[in-house]
Structures are given as structure tokens and as C-alpha cells.
Amino acid sequence: MKLLSTAKFLIALLSSANALIPLEIKGNRFIKPAVDAKEAGEVFFIMGVDYQPGGSSDYSSSSNSDVLSDADACYRDAYVLQELGANTVRIYTVNPDVNHDKCMSILNDAGIYVMLDVNSPLGGESLNRADPASTYNSYYLSRVFKVIEAFKNYPNVIGFFSGNEIINDDASAKEDPRYIRALQRDMKQYIAAHADRSIPVGYSAANELDYRGATWQYLQCNIDGDEDDESKSDFFGLNTYEWCSGQSDWASSGYGTLNNTFQDSAIPLLFSEYGCIAVTPRTFDEVTEGLYSGLINTFSGGLVYEYSKESNNYGLVDIDSDGDLQFYTDYDNLKSQFEDVSLPSISEDDVADAEIIKCNAKTVKSYFSSFGANFTLPDQPSEIKDLIKNGVNATNVGKLVDVSEKYGGYEIELASGGDVATESAIATFSGYNTYNSQTGVTLSGTKASSSAAKSTATTSSSSSSSSSKAEGASAGGSAKSTGIMFALSLLLTSLL
Ligand SMILES: *[C@@H]1O[C@H](CO)[C@@H](O)[C@H](O)[C@H]1NC(C)=O
Ligand SMILES: *[C@@H]1O[C@H](CO)[C@@H](O)[C@H](O)[C@H]1NC(C)=O
Ligand SMILES: *[C@@H]1O[C@H](CO)[C@@H](O)[C@H](O)[C@H]1NC(C)=O
């Protein structure tokens, strides 16, 4: 009797959970799966910031540190991000050889998702836009694969960006598109061979009017209509600074054009950067008057550029050399904009499955006639094939670890002056973020059963094909209930 009522209580507790990871993709939406496998998931909107304290150029492969290696800083920032109302960060540069377990676990437990670029500013660690063939090789791809290894087991990773603004002039628009698809092909083959779930891969585009529509059409389609095409993007980000605080509105910002251009997207769209600084402090009117209102049917939210102030003078907060942090008025303004957003609640069931758009060079060129709309991708060099087959010798495969709520130890100063009291500057951890009934990934990094994890991966990849819907749903259902039973038995064990 006692056992039964405890179990009922736990089920009630579990179904009231509001944070569940990892996200999946269905059609043109990110989906947050429901805890209870019998219930449909919900459309997830990204309310995020770009996060690279120190700036991308601060990165050095020999420094043994990166933005996710200092747990105290991550405690500080998890609080600051939660306080802001953010649910996602995008990180541009990481060192695949350092340990990110604590920071990723802190973000995970605080309910914050991560989108991650696989590149670095160092030579040979990204595609060279002026000569992509010279960098499409195993030296570059082994860095990319090491980043995947380092992050593949964190359930709060939404996806990887294959590149950022690689296409930014006529020459790169002609030469680079095939290489971006080749890189995405290799990344997705690596993920399929070495990760337990199908982590999405997408691209972050410059908002150049000439190229943006062509780039999106080129990347979202399936070559020869093949539904298993690995080279397509799973999502598409746009870096747009079209709306400047106090100057722009829906009409003058070009958001209406954006809404028209992208309305039939087959894949999720987001602003991977936004937040023009022509007028400061920024009031971020585009949040409530644009991105999360007029664009809400077309885009899935976005990421404000950027968290900390660096040499280019964006930044919601200032972090000094001691790690003490101060909010700018921009931070307060964005926070109140986020508070005023009312997101629609959309059931997974109401999201259409992705249509397969067969790649067509004419369609792409209708946006920009000199775009390199060639769908014959560069061959995969045999060294890259070998890396995918055998895996890179990753010494650093991340996993969630046990972390507890804690003050970061840095001073946090309000924009209006005065400090946040130490005992208040602590992020709230939800127990529901610490295990995952979809993959069965738990705090200890163990899994419910590998078959459960694998069939979940099938669900998310099959969700992009209309034909296998029923099959995918039932496979996902059993994986989910296995996960819940596992979580339940874990909790029961710990109680009894
Ligand atoms: C944006 O496009 C969607 C179609 O995707 C449409 O439903 C909506 O009305 C448009 N918004 C505005 C403000 O024009
Ligand atoms: C596409 O690129 C391939 C490889 O470089 C080349 O052989 C082919 O002619 C190109 N196709 C078109 C339509 O330009
Ligand atoms: C991995 O390590 C082994 C043993 O150190 C070595 O023989 C092998 O060549 C390495 N493979 C790669 C892809 O670096």
C-alpha cells in the first residue's frame, strides 16, 4: 500500500515537470518532449543570448581553459541568465580538450540549453571562406569531431553550428555552399556512428539580403529528394541587426520581408544573433514587437548578441578581470521585454511533419543568380572516412556530473547601483533537469538501457520523414516509458 501511494505521488510529481531534455525537431519546430510519453510534447521557443565571455579571439588551444571550464563563473552566469529569463546560450568557441562537465551540468540543472559552434578562429580550425578546399581535410575535421565527442553526451545540447557567416560575399556565395553541406554530412555521419542521439546540425547565416534566401534554400533541401540526406541543415540561424532600438518598427526593420521570405521553411529558423547597437541603451522592442509576435509563426525565437561586453561593445553585462559582474541597463531592458513576451503554447501534434523539399538549383538561384547552387558535394577524403569509422581518439568525452546549488563567489552589481545579496545570487536547480527519461541519461551518466536510447534517436531522425511517423511514434513511446519506469525505480530505490 505504502509503495503504491508513493509511486502515485512520484508519477504526479514527474508529470508536473516543466523541464525535459533533450529537445527534438519536428517539421519547422523545436520540440520539448513531454515527461509522460503518452502526452505530446510542446513547441520550444529559444529565448537566449550569445555567450562568449572574453570574446572568441581570446581562445587559445594551449590555454587549458575556455568559457565552460570555470565552474564558479558558470554558477555566476547560470544565476544571471535565469534572472534574465533566458533558456538558451550559444557558444562560439570551445576547447575540445578541457573538461566541461561542471559547467554543462550547472547549465543543465538550471534548465539552460546550449547551441555550440564547432569552429575556432585558429588557422585550419574552420572552413577558409576564400579557399574552402584548402581547409576541408582531416586536420580540420578531427577538431570538429573532438568537439562532438566532448559534448555529445550532454542532454542540454540543442545542436551544433557547422559554420557562422561563411558565405559573406559573391566569391564565397559561389564557392562555399557545397563545402558547408559536405561538412554537415561528415558531422552527421560522425554523430550517427558515435552518439546516442541524433544531435541536430545547422548553420548560422549573415543577414546579407543577396545571399540569405539562397543559403536557406540551398541548405534546407534534400538532394535528389533523398529523405536520409545527411548534408542538409536541421535548422537555420540568421544573424540580423535590422531592428535598432528606438529607430525601427515592424515596417522599417524589414521584419515583414523576413516573415514573407521564410514563411514556408521546412526546418526550424532562429535569430542566431540579434540586437543592433546604433542606439544605446538598447530597449529591445524587437522582442515583443517582432521576434516573439509578428515572426512567431515563422521563427522559433533567437539569441541576443551578446552576454558580456567585449571590444565590439555589445554586451548586457560587464565582467571585470576579477570576475565581478555588473548589469547594464540593456540587461534590465531585455529582462522586462522577456517578461512581457507571451509565447503561444503549441502541441507537438499540431506541428506538421517536415516536407521533403527536393533540391533544385533554379529555386536557389531565383534568390541570387550567382549562388553556387551545385549539389555535387566534394568527395569525402579517405582520412575523414577513417575518422568517422574509427572515431577520433577522444580523451575528453563529457558527461553530466553531480553539482549542487551554489553562489559563484563573484560580486554582482545592479545597473542602478547596489549589489545583489550573496544569498540571492544562486541559480535554482530543478530535480527534473538532472535525469532524462527520453535518453535515460542520469546524473551518473549511466543509461536506462542502450536500446531505449537508440530508439529515441530513431524517433528524432524519423520525425523529419512523413512516411515513418507511426513507426517512430511507437518506438519513441516505448523508449519514453522505459525511461520513466527507470527514473521511478531510481527514485523509489533511493526512498526505500
Ligand atoms: C508572418 O507570416 C505568417 C505565416 O508564416 C503569418 O501567419 C503571419 O500573419 C505573418 N505575420 C505578420 C505580422 O505579417
Ligand atoms: C558541380 O561541381 C562538380 C564538381 O566540381 C562539377 O563536376 C560539376 O560540373 C558542377 N555542376 C554544375 C552544374 O556546375
Ligand atoms: C589513436 O591512438 C592509437 C594508439 O595511440 C593510434 O595507434 C592511432 O593511430 C590513433 N588514431 C587516430 C585517428 O589518431
Side-chain angles (χ1 to χ4, degrees):
M1 261 335 269
K2 177 177 176 277
L3 214 162
L4 185 67
S5 58
T6 310
K8 269 189 189 151
F9 170 65
L10 284 171
I11 286 166
L13 249 171
L14 281 170
S15 36
S16 68
N18 58 6
L20 187 75
I21 35 191
L23 302 182
E24 294 175 358
I25 287 175
K26 180 183 183 191
N28 61 4
R29 289 303 196 184
F30 295 104
I31 303 290
K32 183 152 97 178
V35 174
D36 183 343
K38 293 187 226 71
E39 288 168 21
E42 281 231 330
V43 168
F44 179 86
F45 293 95
I46 292 169
M47 296 182 74
V49 297
D50 296 308
Y51 180 87
Q52 195 75 37
S56 284
S57 53
D58 193 36
Y59 173 73
S60 134
S61 58
S62 59
S63 77
N64 227 15
S65 69
D66 65 14
V67 294
L68 291 173
S69 61
D70 175 352
D72 287 336
C74 292
Y75 275 117
R76 175 196 64 202
D77 295 340
Y79 163 77
V80 173
L81 291 163
Q82 267 189 347
E83 189 67 12
L84 176 67
N87 61 18
T88 305
V89 292
R90 174 194 183 178
I91 297 170
Y92 292 85
T93 310
V94 291
N95 182 338
D97 295 321
V98 310
N99 189 307
H100 308 108
D101 289 349
K102 281 193 176 159
C103 277
M104 286 300 287
S105 303
I106 291 164
L107 293 174
N108 177 80
D109 292 8
I112 293 168
Y113 294 89
V114 176
M115 303 187 88
L116 200 68
D117 289 66
V118 294
N119 302 302
S120 101
L122 302 181
E125 298 200 348
S126 65
L127 281 177
N128 175 349
R129 69 166 61 85
D131 183 10
S134 70
T135 42
Y136 179 57
N137 55 41
S138 61
Y139 176 84
Y140 170 43
L141 268 294
S142 52
R143 170 190 162 85
V144 171
F145 296 156
K146 278 167 78 179
V147 172
I148 292 171
E149 288 287 346
F151 286 87
K152 67 182 184 183
N153 286 342
Y154 300 126
N156 53 331
V157 172
I158 296 179
F160 296 108
F161 284 109
S162 59
N164 183 59
E165 303 193 4
I166 298 173
I167 296 168
N168 76 345
D169 57 17
D170 282 8
S172 52
K174 202 168 183 349
E175 293 303 323
D176 297 354
R178 300 161 63 230
Y179 286 89
I180 297 172
R181 281 195 78 127
L183 171 60
Q184 293 186 163
R185 167 194 66 197
D186 300 350
M187 289 173 67
K188 290 212 264 183
Q189 286 180 1
Y190 194 91
I191 290 166
H194 300 285
D196 282 335
R197 67 180 169 107
S198 55
I199 307 168
V201 173
Y203 176 73
S204 173
N207 188 41
E208 297 286 342
L209 298 194
D210 280 348
Y211 318 125
R212 69 183 188 190
T215 306
W216 160 67
Q217 287 288 5
Y218 181 84
L219 292 175
Q220 73 158 347
C221 64
N222 295 56
I223 296 176
D224 298 329
D226 174 8
E227 69 174 64
D228 297 322
D229 180 357
E230 292 149 327
S231 66
K232 67 176 269 190
S233 291
D234 296 316
F235 57 87
F236 183 78
L238 198 59
N239 297 343
T240 170
Y241 295 86
E242 286 182 308
W243 186 310
C244 300
S245 294
Q247 285 187 341
S248 315
D249 57 22
W250 177 268
S252 66
S253 65
Y255 275 31
T257 309
L258 266 182
N259 196 45
N260 288 336
T261 305
F262 291 97
Q263 62 179 299
D264 297 322
S265 186
I267 56 176
L269 305 171
L270 69 142
F271 283 1
S272 33
E273 291 176 4
Y274 72 99
C276 163
I277 52 165
V279 180
T280 55
R282 293 178 283 181
T283 48
F284 293 110
D285 314 300
E286 69 266 49
V287 168
T288 48
E289 294 172 28
L291 184 53
Y292 299 94
S293 55
L295 285 177
I296 201 75
N297 292 319
T298 314
F299 282 76
S300 295
L303 301 141
V304 169
Y305 191 82
E306 67 178 319
Y307 182 68
S308 56
K309 182 184 166 192
E310 307 301 335
S311 54
N312 54 6
N313 273 328
Y314 291 76
L316 303 169
V317 305
D318 179 64
I319 302 175
D320 72 16
S321 53
D322 295 330
D324 294 332
L325 182 148
Q326 182 179 12
F327 296 151
Y328 287 127
T329 305
D330 296 48
Y331 176 94
D332 291 353
N333 291 346
L334 181 59
K335 179 181 153 94
S336 64
Q337 287 284 345
F338 277 175
E339 281 165 358
D340 287 345
V341 166
S342 59
L343 292 174
S345 161
I346 306 172
S347 165
E348 175 179 12
D349 291 341
D350 295 330
V351 178
D353 280 314
E355 32 167 345
I356 305 292
I357 298 179
K358 187 176 173 182
C359 292
N360 180 328
K362 270 208 196 102
T363 308
V364 176
K365 284 174 174 289
S366 71
Y367 290 82
F368 183 64
S369 60
S370 328
F371 199 85
N374 186 332
F375 291 101
T376 306
L377 305 187
D379 287 335
Q380 191 173 59
S382 63
E383 298 80 18
I384 294 179
K385 260 194 193 74
D386 289 345
L387 288 175
I388 294 172
K389 185 160 170 264
N390 304 321
V392 284
N393 278 345
T395 51
N396 188 40
V397 180
K399 61 172 191 319
L400 289 188
V401 294
D402 203 353
V403 286
S404 51
E405 288 176 358
K406 191 167 114 28
Y407 167 60
Y410 295 112
E411 263 173 45
I412 297 178
E413 198 181 321
L414 300 168
S416 54
D419 287 346
V420 180
T422 304
E423 62 274 18
S424 314
I426 297 175
T428 308
F429 284 5
S430 163
Y432 299 117
N433 298 334
T434 58
Y435 69 87
N436 184 313
S437 63
Q438 306 300 313
T439 58
V441 174
T442 68
L443 264 187
S444 57
T446 56
K447 280 196 228 114
S449 80
S450 55
S451 67
K454 280 291 180 201
S455 52
T456 301
T458 318
T459 311
S460 62
S461 60
S462 68
S463 66
S464 61
S465 86
S466 40
S467 58
S468 56
K469 184 174 191 257
E471 195 188 297
S474 69
S478 66
K480 287 172 193 178
S481 21
T482 313
I484 292 203
M485 289 321 293
F486 175 71
L488 263 177
S489 62
L490 237 166
L491 286 169
L492 281 171
T493 315
S494 64
L495 277 180
L496 296 175

